[in-house]
Amino acid sequence: MNVATNTAKHQAASSASSDAPRTTLKVLAVPIAFNEEKKIGRVLDRFPPNVVDAIAVVDDASTDGTPQVICEKGAIHLRHERQSGAGAAIRTAIRYAREQGYDVIVILAGNDKDRPAEIPRLVEPIVNEGYDFVQGSRYLPGGDFGNMPLYRQLATRFVHPLLFSLAARRRVTDSTNGFRAIRLSLFDDPRIDIDQDWLDKYELEPYILFKAIRLGYRFKEVPVTKIYPPKELGYTKMKPFTGWWSILRPIIYLGLGLKK
């Protein structure tokens, strides 16, 4: 992994004024990107001043102009030399955040589905109420999912949350939404092992959520917006069947005790 740090406007944002509440915890926001040249700039432009302490983009070995856009926008650039998967990218983000002394990490999509202006909704319960994991839900009152294809609505609103809730023994309304905030001390717990090879693709997100809930960490959902970009720009990189299995198998493995 190569790390390139830029000092342009997004890192300067920590000293700018904003209506967003400041916290005593250091917060790092991390969009995850692979070949998002057309969208990552828009993601970074959406960040209000001072909403987080810094922004780092994990670039999973993009082959288009994604690295150049990240640098032009002044975000921290964390680059994989080979494509490793969404889970591996999130693992890189967590490691970097912990090494740099951040307290909270906010994960969001690099393809302009999420709204950075809603980050305070995720962070405030951690700062002010002592929560450890705050999950964004497009399906709670006040959330929005825009023009999502019907088959994805069925999968993400009903099928996956139902199976996940049964396995986790707690109702979760949006178990596949990657827009969430996590207190980084969660990863001090040796029972949460994010370094397993089988978590490299889409498995890591439901893995961490499942572990946080089942291990008794303070968890809640808050309403957020998740709007899919126009289809011609590419609204997802998840492949049918292999991608679906990737996001389903942590429920099966963990629910049956086949993995730790």
Side-chain angles (χ1 to χ4, degrees):
M1 180 192 75
N2 286 347
V3 179
T5 303
N6 305 288
T7 56
K9 63 180 182 178
H10 286 291
Q11 286 173 281
S14 62
S15 60
S17 61
S18 172
D19 293 333
R22 293 307 297 140
T23 75
T24 56
L25 299 180
K26 287 183 65 179
V27 180
L28 177 70
V30 185
I32 305 299
F34 169 67
N35 285 351
E36 299 294 357
E37 176 183 6
K38 296 179 179 178
K39 290 173 271 189
I40 190 61
R42 193 179 312 166
V43 173
L44 296 172
D45 285 342
R46 288 186 186 276
F47 275 83
N50 210 34
V51 74
V52 294
D53 293 283
I55 305 163
V57 181
V58 179
D59 165 20
D60 193 26
S62 295
T63 56
D64 63 357
T66 297
Q68 290 77 13
V69 177
I70 294 169
C71 293
E72 288 169 4
K73 294 297 181 179
I76 300 165
H77 183 202
L78 308 177
R79 178 170 173 80
H80 288 173
E81 291 304 313
R82 62 179 181 84
Q83 188 180 3
S84 303
I90 292 170
R91 186 186 299 126
T92 292
I94 292 168
R95 286 175 178 164
Y96 176 82
R98 298 184 76 197
E99 289 168 0
Q100 298 300 313
Y102 290 96
D103 302 294
V104 177
I105 189 169
V106 178
I107 304 293
L108 65 158
N111 60 1
D112 202 31
K113 290 179 186 175
D114 301 315
R115 297 297 176 259
E118 296 176 344
I119 286 175
R121 297 186 190 179
L122 298 168
V123 173
E124 285 173 3
I126 295 177
V127 174
N128 299 323
E129 303 172 49
Y131 282 91
D132 300 295
F133 194 121
V134 181
Q135 172 74 29
S137 174
R138 68 202 112 171
Y139 301 123
L140 287 177
D144 188 12
F145 51 90
N147 60 343
M148 187 192 306
L150 179 60
Y151 78 93
R152 292 189 70 86
Q153 289 187 46
L154 293 174
T156 62
R157 189 171 191 173
F158 300 107
V159 177
H160 198 279
L162 174 61
L163 296 174
F164 185 94
S165 298
L166 289 172
R169 303 172 192 166
R170 172 162 180 172
R171 183 172 182 266
V172 176
T173 67
D174 197 354
S175 51
T176 63
N177 193 345
F179 193 21
R180 69 265 297 261
I182 308 170
R183 190 186 297 271
L184 285 160
S185 59
L186 191 82
F187 301 105
D188 293 334
D189 191 328
R191 297 171 295 178
I192 301 175
D193 182 6
I194 66 172
D195 292 320
Q196 301 174 79
D197 291 341
W198 70 280
L199 300 174
D200 282 352
K201 307 303 181 185
Y202 294 105
E203 298 90 351
L204 186 63
E205 293 171 286
Y207 172 87
I208 297 172
L209 178 59
F210 182 96
K211 284 288 192 174
I213 292 173
R214 286 290 294 268
L215 292 174
Y217 287 95
R218 295 199 65 198
F219 162 81
K220 73 181 296 186
E221 291 182 291
V222 297
V224 295
T225 303
K226 201 170 194 77
I227 304 297
Y228 280 62
K231 189 172 183 178
E232 56 269 21
L233 293 179
Y235 57 74
T236 183
K237 290 186 170 64
M238 180 179 284
K239 296 178 181 179
F241 304 114
T242 57
W244 299 341
W245 169 240
S246 178
I247 205 166
L248 275 172
R249 68 173 180 159
I251 300 174
I252 298 170
Y253 288 177
L254 297 174
L256 295 177
L258 302 176
K259 296 284 187 179
K260 61 178 180 177

